[in-house]
Every structure is written in C-alpha cells, then in structure tokens.
Amino acid sequence: MQIHWPDRYVPAFGMTTYHHSQKRDDEIPILETASALKDLIDEGKIRYIGLSNESTYGVAEWVKACEQLGIRDKLATIQNSYSLLDRRFDSELAEACEYYNIGLLPWSVLAGGLLSGKYNKRSKGRGLPADDNSRYVRYEDYMNRWHPSSATKATIDAAEDYAAIAEDAGMTPSELAIAFCRSRQFVESNGSVIVGATTMDQLRENLRQFDGSPVELDEDVLARIDEVHLRSRDPCCSL
C-alpha cells in the first residue's frame, strides 16, 4: 500500500522551503499510521508499505516506527518526484534510502510531457508531436511549473537542451528522460519508473525502456546531462 502523501505539512510539488508557519497542529503521528498498516499486514490485506512525497525526516521516522512495530522489512518504496528537471532526490533522500534499502518509484519522469519534446520550439528531437489532445494543449493551467505557457525560462531552456542531447544520442527525448531515471542506483537496484501515456504510440515509446533491451546512457551523454543540470539545477522548483 502506497501512502500518497504525509499527513503533516511538508514542502511538496516543487516547493523547496519549509515554512514554519504552515506546520499543522492536527497531523497524524507516523507511528499511529504505521500501526494501522501493521494491522492490515497481519490481516493479510496488504503485503508492503510504500511512502510518497516524503522528506528525509519522514523516511527516518517511518523506519523508526516500523522497527518499533516489527515490520521494518515491509517498508519497501518511496514515490517522489524525480526527473531531469527535478533531481532533489539525489542528495539526502538518496543517502537515507540507500542505507534503509528503500527503492524510488519516481513520478512525472517526463514532467507532465514537457520532457517528451512535443512542446519544444527549438529542438523537438525525434519525439512524437503534440496534438489537440495533448495535456498542455487541452489544459492551460495544469501543472504550472512544467506547463510551456507558465514554466520558467530556465525550465523551458533545460527541456530544449535535454531534447538536443537525446537527438545527438539517437533517441527520443522521452527515451532519454526515462533512461536517465532508470540509470540511477536508487531506481535500478530496488525501484522502478512510473510512466504515463494518453496514446498507444506514447505507451510504446515509453515501454521501449522496459522491453529487455533498454537504452544505455554512456559517460559522454551522462556528462552532458550533468552539464545542463549544473547550469540549471532543478529549474522547475521554487521557494
């Protein structure tokens, strides 16, 4: 069972600053939630526990609670935002999850479609084109931090740069974005990648990374990705 988000205030969905004034007085203690999940495990209704949109503090508290309840081995995964445009997981969370053997299930690996190349003006690469049914065409105020009409210039420029890297490497922007996430040890060793699609062609493109012969990113491609990242670190995130 995946806990969709913490039952307490945490900076989430692109926010990076902890605002003390937003701390809640009615938050449910993690131990209480873990105890309820233990009951479900004991009843055979669920097998494992997954976290979502959690912080390093939250992961540590969940581990402590599960150890106290004797279900530490049932804490398996964490589902947080991670992509070429949002690599915050690379720091403290990566360290914590390495030591606690918790795998990442990254969501929005394509930034809602922005990293597919379909909305690019400079370099669309080899990706599928946008149409009237595309998310950011149909919905003008959806996922503002990634929407082509409202995302920061740094976010748009970075997406264009990643598409250019993909084209030079002979792959689509989506393939590059998914392959990058799959190359991370906290995904490769005990996690996976969440993909989404609205058409069969998109699904086929995304699933090529899971068909037994995924694209391997060489050191040159990874170096170029890091160069863009260092120039524009997590551009879709804000205070």
Side-chain angles (χ1 to χ4, degrees), residues 13-227:
F13 306 113
M15 306 303 290
T16 60
T17 300
Y18 184 88
H19 296 282
H20 298 268
S21 62
Q22 296 188 39
K23 184 177 182 295
R24 290 168 41 193
D25 295 327
D26 63 344
E27 62 186 43
I28 304 300
I30 287 173
L31 180 59
E32 181 177 333
T33 304
S35 296
L37 294 178
K38 180 182 184 300
D39 290 342
L40 295 177
I41 291 172
D42 292 342
E43 294 168 6
K45 294 178 179 177
I46 64 173
R47 297 177 63 188
Y48 294 97
I49 299 170
L51 309 178
S52 186
N53 300 305
E54 260 298 1
S55 65
T56 307
Y57 162 78
V59 169
E61 288 296 300
W62 268 98
V63 169
K64 183 169 68 174
C66 289
E67 286 177 344
Q68 182 176 333
L69 296 168
I71 55 170
R72 171 63 188 88
D73 61 327
K74 301 300 183 181
L75 187 57
T77 61
I78 181 171
Q79 181 179 306
N80 275 36
S81 174
Y82 188 79
S83 71
L84 289 169
L85 295 175
D86 182 359
R87 292 173 57 178
R88 289 171 296 159
F89 195 93
D90 281 335
S91 186
E92 291 92 347
L93 270 166
E95 178 188 20
C97 290
E98 166 73 14
Y99 278 96
Y100 295 138
N101 193 32
I102 296 173
L104 176 64
L105 305 175
W107 56 264
S108 285
V109 296
L110 298 182
L114 182 62
L115 286 170
S116 70
K118 69 178 68 176
Y119 303 104
N120 291 1
K121 295 181 179 179
R122 172 161 48 90
S123 175
K124 295 186 181 296
R126 302 166 181 253
L128 298 169
D131 57 32
D132 291 340
N133 197 45
S134 297
R135 177 179 295 171
Y136 293 143
V137 175
R138 294 189 65 182
Y139 306 107
E140 296 181 358
D141 58 352
Y142 188 72
M143 290 183 168
N144 290 332
R145 64 188 182 281
W146 296 319
H147 199 293
S149 67
S150 55
T152 64
K153 183 178 184 300
T155 299
I156 300 299
D157 287 347
E160 295 267 7
D161 290 340
Y162 290 128
I165 293 172
E167 186 168 20
D168 290 345
M171 64 185 78
T172 70
S174 292
E175 288 174 333
L176 177 75
I178 294 171
F180 172 76
C181 289
R182 293 200 73 197
S183 73
R184 306 297 88 185
Q185 184 171 327
F186 41 75
V187 172
E188 183 180 32
S189 61
N190 53 359
S192 189
V193 174
I194 299 171
V195 297
T198 55
T199 69
M200 288 302 298
D201 286 340
Q202 291 174 2
L203 185 61
R204 292 187 189 97
E205 179 183 16
N206 292 344
L207 291 183
R208 279 200 288 268
Q209 294 304 305
F210 303 87
D211 66 359
S213 56
V215 173
E216 296 290 339
L217 303 182
D218 61 32
E219 292 302 317
D220 178 64
V221 171
L222 290 172
R224 291 185 63 188
I225 288 173
D226 283 343
E227 182 181 339

